[in-house]
Amino acid sequence: MTSTTPLPPLRSCGHDLDPSLVGMMTATPGTTDPSTLQDQMVRDGYILLRGVLDPAKVLAARRRVMEQLSSEGQLQEGVDIMDAVPRSGVSLFFQPELAQKNNPELQELLYAEDGELMQWFSRFLGGKVRHYDFTWLRCMTPGPGTPAHCDIVYMGRGTHRLFTAWVPLGRADFKSGGLMVLEGSHKDVDLQNTYGKKDVDSFCVNNPNDEARTANGYNGWLPGNCNEIREQHGKRWLVSEFEPGDAVVFCMDLVHGGLDNVSSSLRLSSDSRYQLASDPVDERWVGENPPGHSAAGKKGRIC
């Protein structure tokens, strides 16, 4: 789809996006020099890379996930597993257990030292790169996309010069949905100084009812629907369709979310995080068994 082709009706979390306030992401060549990429990140908050990854490796990672879901009886029988058609009644969303050590194809795609993504980040950051050991994997059944949020509230205990790589594990068109980013939202200082100071795993020790004790990270969404959030914090929602091999890299302060999946298939994508190895790291997301949002990742404070 070109920038001049009218967009189809789009929804996020059940709300129609105002078509007059939706635009297309702008792609950047993967060979762009690092200083230009850094300037673009400061200006736009995201970098859309077309074909930066080997599509065959992307599809191999997709197949491994599909094999696991099929073995669990989550997929419709008699259909090619690569079509990712869920069995009737199946509801999937966040499936990180399918992305860890039992998926070597995905681990290689995202984290191989000589792989396309790690090499890209090494050039972009200008030094030795460290990735988070935890991988966020989404298998989105038809229905609502991921609510709007900023990543900083989930992983702000280390360096803030940390970047997300969103990788679609297969084609993601406007029917299956995909990533949407809020134009200019990474420059919203008021948002950074309020919501952006939140730590979803920090709780009030003197408040036994603090939701952060048990929210498991689901207390990090921005309040309001996609149109209200756009009115408050940005200019337009920017969207795109994606092919295997594409990736979107973005900063911690960029508001983003997911379009609804109105297809009959799962939409698969991974989120992985990268920083300079010399910078401090958020302890929740590294190690043999990263604690994440478990009790070991919680941090109490007096309120």
Side-chain angles (χ1 to χ4, degrees):
M1 176 173 287
T2 69
S3 59
T4 58
T5 305
L7 292 170
L10 299 172
R11 295 168 65 85
S12 180
C13 297
H15 294 272
D16 294 326
L17 272 63
D18 183 337
S20 68
L21 293 166
V22 177
M24 294 289 286
M25 296 185 200
T26 301
T28 300
T31 55
T32 303
D33 67 272
S35 62
T36 301
L37 290 171
Q38 291 159 11
D39 289 344
Q40 181 178 337
M41 184 63 74
V42 171
R43 183 185 72 238
D44 298 336
Y46 78 92
I47 297 171
L48 167 57
L49 300 166
R50 298 291 192 196
V52 68
L53 301 171
D54 182 344
K57 294 179 181 178
V58 175
L59 294 177
R62 176 186 178 88
R63 180 172 291 279
R64 177 57 67 102
V65 174
M66 291 298 99
E67 289 172 347
Q68 293 176 88
L69 291 176
S70 179
S71 69
E72 297 170 0
Q74 306 275 28
L75 300 182
Q76 185 171 314
E77 295 182 0
V79 178
D80 188 333
I81 62 171
M82 291 296 277
D83 290 340
V85 179
R87 182 172 53 80
S88 178
V90 166
S91 179
L92 300 173
F93 174 58
F94 186 49
Q95 309 293 139
E97 72 279 1
L98 302 181
Q100 311 310 324
K101 295 174 184 177
N102 57 348
N103 193 329
E105 291 85 356
L106 183 61
Q107 293 287 307
E108 178 182 357
L109 175 72
L110 302 178
Y111 305 133
E113 289 290 340
D114 60 350
E116 296 94 345
L117 206 49
M118 286 288 284
Q119 288 295 306
W120 187 90
F121 273 104
S122 180
R123 293 192 299 272
F124 174 65
L125 292 171
K128 183 174 176 56
V129 171
R130 177 175 190 169
H131 62 80
Y132 279 7
D133 297 312
F134 189 91
T135 306
W136 289 253
L137 180 72
R138 288 181 173 84
C139 302
M140 306 293 288
T141 42
T146 303
H149 61 283
C150 296
D151 285 348
I152 191 63
V153 302
Y154 299 95
M155 51 199 72
R157 296 182 188 173
T159 179
H160 288 193
R161 195 164 182 250
L162 172 70
F163 298 91
T164 294
W166 181 86
V167 175
L169 300 177
R171 188 166 195 270
D173 59 17
F174 286 133
K175 287 193 68 176
S176 61
L179 180 70
M180 61 182 197
V181 303
L182 189 56
E183 185 179 34
S185 57
H186 65 300
K187 297 180 179 179
D188 187 334
V189 176
D190 289 340
L191 183 65
Q192 293 168 19
N193 289 333
T194 51
Y195 163 84
K197 297 295 184 182
K198 183 175 185 176
D199 178 335
V200 297
D201 293 313
S202 176
F203 67 93
C204 298
V205 296
N206 52 324
N207 179 5
N209 298 316
D210 189 339
E211 65 173 2
R213 292 174 178 268
T214 58
N216 199 31
Y218 290 102
N219 55 331
W221 312 134
L222 279 163
N225 65 54
C226 54
N227 295 311
E228 293 168 339
I229 291 168
R230 178 196 52 73
E231 290 173 359
Q232 295 170 17
H233 304 299
K235 299 175 183 177
R236 300 177 298 167
W237 283 110
L238 302 180
V239 298
S240 184
E241 295 185 295
F242 305 94
E243 297 292 338
D246 294 345
V248 184
V249 176
F250 54 90
C251 67
M252 291 292 102
D253 291 322
L254 186 71
V255 176
H256 60 284
L259 294 171
D260 291 354
N261 181 357
V262 297
S263 74
S264 60
S265 300
L266 298 170
R267 181 184 78 245
L268 269 65
S269 64
S270 67
D271 293 339
S272 45
R273 271 79 195 196
Y274 306 83
Q275 64 173 76
L276 282 174
S278 55
D279 286 343
V281 67
D282 190 322
E283 74 284 353
R284 286 171 291 183
W285 308 113
V286 296
E288 184 72 16
N289 294 293
H293 299 305
S294 71
K298 303 297 182 184
K299 182 179 290 187
R301 69 186 192 282
I302 300 296
C303 302

